[in-house]
Amino acid sequence: MIKDFNEMPVWQKAMDIAGKCFKISVKLSRKEDFTLASQLRKSAESISANIATGFRRRTSKDKSRFMIFLEVLHWRQKAI
């Protein structure tokens, strides 16, 4: 049984993705660094953070509310 979020394969994969995103963002030009690179870094960080936050939700009702929140957040990001 998984006792901590950092044991989860999905969290480990999210950290790998974040590392790759940071490497890509370093290669962007200075102008892009303040726009695209910043958003790329924030998005990459939020993946593993959301997994860790969701891991601590104890009840099914609480986990369900959190998943709905993430879904709304996802659709909001797509709209921007």
Side-chain angles (χ1 to χ4, degrees), residues 8-20 47-48 51:
M8 298 173 68
V10 68
W11 183 84
Q12 294 167 1
K13 184 68 175 175
M15 293 302 290
D16 290 342
I17 291 169
K20 290 175 183 175
I47 298 168
S48 58
I51 292 167

Side-chain angles (χ1 to χ4, degrees), residues 30-45:
R30 192 86 169 125
K31 183 179 178 183
E32 291 170 323
D33 186 44
F34 294 112
T35 55
L36 178 61
S38 176
Q39 185 62 36
L40 182 63
R41 290 181 196 131
K42 288 176 186 177
S43 297
E45 289 173 355

Side-chain angles (χ1 to χ4, degrees), residues 4-32:
D4 197 15
F5 65 85
N6 59 8
E7 297 174 12
M8 298 173 68
V10 68
W11 183 84
Q12 294 167 1
K13 184 68 175 175
M15 293 302 290
D16 290 342
I17 291 169
K20 290 175 183 175
C21 288
F22 276 91
K23 286 179 184 176
I24 290 168
S25 70
V26 169
K27 296 177 183 177
L28 295 173
S29 73
R30 192 86 169 125
K31 183 179 178 183
E32 291 170 323

